[in-house]
mmCIF file of all heavy atoms in Angstrom:
data_model
loop_
_atom_site.group_PDB
_atom_site.id
_atom_site.type_symbol
_atom_site.label_atom_id
_atom_site.label_comp_id
_atom_site.label_asym_id
_atom_site.label_seq_id
_atom_site.Cartn_x
_atom_site.Cartn_y
_atom_site.Cartn_z
ATOM 1 N N ASP A 148 95.195 88.691 104.886
ATOM 2 C CA ASP A 148 96.026 88.194 106.004
ATOM 3 C C ASP A 148 97.372 88.954 105.994
ATOM 4 O O ASP A 148 97.846 89.392 107.057
ATOM 5 C CB ASP A 148 96.223 86.702 105.864
ATOM 6 C CG ASP A 148 96.589 86.015 107.178
ATOM 7 O OD1 ASP A 148 96.010 86.402 108.219
ATOM 8 O OD2 ASP A 148 97.490 85.192 107.185
ATOM 9 N N ASP A 149 97.951 89.104 104.804
ATOM 10 C CA ASP A 149 99.231 89.854 104.684
ATOM 11 C C ASP A 149 99.100 91.255 105.191
ATOM 12 O O ASP A 149 99.927 91.763 105.934
ATOM 13 C CB ASP A 149 99.679 89.901 103.212
ATOM 14 C CG ASP A 149 100.171 88.565 102.679
ATOM 15 O OD1 ASP A 149 100.424 87.648 103.492
ATOM 16 O OD2 ASP A 149 100.288 88.466 101.455
ATOM 17 N N LEU A 150 97.981 91.916 104.812
ATOM 18 C CA LEU A 150 97.741 93.284 105.239
ATOM 19 C C LEU A 150 97.629 93.367 106.790
ATOM 20 O O LEU A 150 98.280 94.210 107.407
ATOM 21 C CB LEU A 150 96.459 93.843 104.600
ATOM 22 C CG LEU A 150 95.948 95.185 105.160
ATOM 23 C CD1 LEU A 150 96.970 96.307 104.904
ATOM 24 C CD2 LEU A 150 94.615 95.526 104.556
ATOM 25 N N CYS A 151 96.880 92.445 107.366
ATOM 26 C CA CYS A 151 96.637 92.535 108.818
ATOM 27 C C CYS A 151 97.932 92.232 109.599
ATOM 28 O O CYS A 151 98.209 92.885 110.576
ATOM 29 C CB CYS A 151 95.513 91.558 109.176
ATOM 30 S SG CYS A 151 93.926 92.088 108.571
ATOM 31 N N ARG A 152 98.758 91.311 109.089
ATOM 32 C CA ARG A 152 100.025 90.996 109.764
ATOM 33 C C ARG A 152 100.943 92.204 109.656
ATOM 34 O O ARG A 152 101.610 92.561 110.655
ATOM 35 C CB ARG A 152 100.682 89.807 109.101
ATOM 36 C CG ARG A 152 100.058 88.505 109.460
ATOM 37 C CD ARG A 152 100.723 87.358 108.667
ATOM 38 N NE ARG A 152 99.929 86.121 108.729
ATOM 39 C CZ ARG A 152 100.088 85.214 109.707
ATOM 40 N NH1 ARG A 152 100.962 85.418 110.621
ATOM 41 N NH2 ARG A 152 99.355 84.121 109.693
ATOM 42 N N ALA A 153 101.047 92.794 108.489
ATOM 43 C CA ALA A 153 101.972 93.939 108.304
ATOM 44 C C ALA A 153 101.491 95.104 109.161
ATOM 45 O O ALA A 153 102.299 95.834 109.744
ATOM 46 C CB ALA A 153 102.030 94.329 106.796
ATOM 47 N N LEU A 154 100.192 95.290 109.238
ATOM 48 C CA LEU A 154 99.620 96.389 110.052
ATOM 49 C C LEU A 154 99.965 96.184 111.534
ATOM 50 O O LEU A 154 100.387 97.114 112.221
ATOM 51 C CB LEU A 154 98.122 96.469 109.848
ATOM 52 C CG LEU A 154 97.384 97.500 110.728
ATOM 53 C CD1 LEU A 154 97.925 98.898 110.524
ATOM 54 C CD2 LEU A 154 95.876 97.437 110.436
ATOM 55 N N ALA A 155 99.808 94.959 112.014
ATOM 56 C CA ALA A 155 100.109 94.669 113.437
ATOM 57 C C ALA A 155 101.593 94.992 113.746
ATOM 58 O O ALA A 155 101.868 95.573 114.788
ATOM 59 C CB ALA A 155 99.808 93.187 113.726
ATOM 60 N N ARG A 156 102.458 94.590 112.880
ATOM 61 C CA ARG A 156 103.910 94.886 113.070
ATOM 62 C C ARG A 156 104.166 96.369 113.094
ATOM 63 O O ARG A 156 104.901 96.868 113.946
ATOM 64 C CB ARG A 156 104.764 94.228 111.985
ATOM 65 C CG ARG A 156 105.083 92.764 112.196
ATOM 66 C CD ARG A 156 106.171 92.256 111.298
ATOM 67 N NE ARG A 156 105.878 92.447 109.865
ATOM 68 C CZ ARG A 156 105.174 91.563 109.163
ATOM 69 N NH1 ARG A 156 104.721 90.472 109.703
ATOM 70 N NH2 ARG A 156 104.940 91.839 107.867
ATOM 71 N N HIS A 157 103.534 97.057 112.153
ATOM 72 C CA HIS A 157 103.755 98.516 112.048
ATOM 73 C C HIS A 157 103.262 99.239 113.300
ATOM 74 O O HIS A 157 103.921 100.119 113.833
ATOM 75 C CB HIS A 157 103.045 99.077 110.800
ATOM 76 C CG HIS A 157 103.092 100.569 110.765
ATOM 77 N ND1 HIS A 157 104.260 101.298 110.546
ATOM 78 C CD2 HIS A 157 102.126 101.522 110.924
ATOM 79 C CE1 HIS A 157 103.976 102.570 110.581
ATOM 80 N NE2 HIS A 157 102.700 102.741 110.796
ATOM 81 N N LEU A 158 102.087 98.885 113.761
ATOM 82 C CA LEU A 158 101.548 99.518 114.956
ATOM 83 C C LEU A 158 102.473 99.335 116.142
ATOM 84 O O LEU A 158 102.757 100.272 116.890
ATOM 85 C CB LEU A 158 100.132 98.962 115.311
ATOM 86 C CG LEU A 158 99.041 99.235 114.253
ATOM 87 C CD1 LEU A 158 97.765 98.511 114.642
ATOM 88 C CD2 LEU A 158 98.740 100.717 114.074
ATOM 89 N N ASP A 159 102.946 98.091 116.312
ATOM 90 C CA ASP A 159 103.905 97.852 117.422
ATOM 91 C C ASP A 159 105.209 98.647 117.266
ATOM 92 O O ASP A 159 105.678 99.273 118.229
ATOM 93 C CB ASP A 159 104.275 96.338 117.474
ATOM 94 C CG ASP A 159 103.162 95.490 118.034
ATOM 95 O OD1 ASP A 159 102.174 96.059 118.555
ATOM 96 O OD2 ASP A 159 103.289 94.250 117.990
ATOM 97 N N ASP A 160 105.792 98.642 116.058
ATOM 98 C CA ASP A 160 107.052 99.366 115.826
ATOM 99 C C ASP A 160 106.876 100.845 116.058
ATOM 100 O O ASP A 160 107.749 101.504 116.680
ATOM 101 C CB ASP A 160 107.528 99.123 114.397
ATOM 102 C CG ASP A 160 108.009 97.702 114.176
ATOM 103 O OD1 ASP A 160 108.213 96.945 115.187
ATOM 104 O OD2 ASP A 160 108.177 97.309 113.003
ATOM 105 N N GLU A 161 105.754 101.387 115.599
ATOM 106 C CA GLU A 161 105.517 102.825 115.738
ATOM 107 C C GLU A 161 105.375 103.192 117.228
ATOM 108 O O GLU A 161 105.934 104.192 117.702
ATOM 109 C CB GLU A 161 104.242 103.172 114.976
ATOM 110 C CG GLU A 161 104.027 104.674 114.781
ATOM 111 C CD GLU A 161 102.920 104.914 113.774
ATOM 112 O OE1 GLU A 161 103.212 104.927 112.577
ATOM 113 O OE2 GLU A 161 101.785 105.053 114.190
ATOM 114 N N GLU A 162 104.632 102.366 117.930
ATOM 115 C CA GLU A 162 104.428 102.645 119.383
ATOM 116 C C GLU A 162 105.775 102.533 120.135
ATOM 117 O O GLU A 162 106.009 103.333 121.042
ATOM 118 C CB GLU A 162 103.425 101.648 119.925
ATOM 119 C CG GLU A 162 102.015 101.929 119.489
ATOM 120 C CD GLU A 162 101.055 100.810 119.773
ATOM 121 O OE1 GLU A 162 101.471 99.759 120.310
ATOM 122 O OE2 GLU A 162 99.846 100.984 119.457
ATOM 123 N N ASP A 163 106.597 101.565 119.745
ATOM 124 C CA ASP A 163 107.906 101.396 120.461
ATOM 125 C C ASP A 163 108.756 102.648 120.327
ATOM 126 O O ASP A 163 109.543 102.977 121.235
ATOM 127 C CB ASP A 163 108.675 100.207 119.876
ATOM 128 C CG ASP A 163 108.145 98.872 120.363
ATOM 129 O OD1 ASP A 163 107.321 98.885 121.317
ATOM 130 O OD2 ASP A 163 108.507 97.849 119.813
ATOM 131 N N LEU A 164 108.631 103.357 119.199
ATOM 132 C CA LEU A 164 109.419 104.590 119.019
ATOM 133 C C LEU A 164 108.733 105.777 119.663
ATOM 134 O O LEU A 164 109.381 106.605 120.322
ATOM 135 C CB LEU A 164 109.627 104.833 117.513
ATOM 136 C CG LEU A 164 110.577 105.966 117.097
ATOM 137 C CD1 LEU A 164 111.995 105.643 117.505
ATOM 138 C CD2 LEU A 164 110.451 106.316 115.653
ATOM 139 N N ILE A 165 107.422 105.876 119.503
ATOM 140 C CA ILE A 165 106.732 107.123 119.869
ATOM 141 C C ILE A 165 106.217 107.154 121.316
ATOM 142 O O ILE A 165 106.318 108.217 121.962
ATOM 143 C CB ILE A 165 105.580 107.376 118.878
ATOM 144 C CG1 ILE A 165 106.205 107.781 117.522
ATOM 145 C CG2 ILE A 165 104.644 108.450 119.363
ATOM 146 C CD1 ILE A 165 105.218 107.804 116.376
ATOM 147 N N ILE A 166 105.690 106.078 121.801
ATOM 148 C CA ILE A 166 105.072 106.138 123.152
ATOM 149 C C ILE A 166 106.118 106.505 124.221
ATOM 150 O O ILE A 166 105.890 107.370 125.047
ATOM 151 C CB ILE A 166 104.304 104.842 123.498
ATOM 152 C CG1 ILE A 166 103.193 104.594 122.484
ATOM 153 C CG2 ILE A 166 103.750 104.914 124.908
ATOM 154 C CD1 ILE A 166 102.080 105.601 122.432
#
Side-chain angles (χ1 to χ4, degrees):
D148 201 42
D149 288 346
L150 170 63
C151 292
R152 285 174 193 273
L154 175 59
R156 277 194 302 274
H157 172 69
L158 296 174
D159 284 352
D160 290 347
E161 193 168 275
E162 289 168 357
D163 283 349
L164 188 67
I165 289 170
I166 301 296

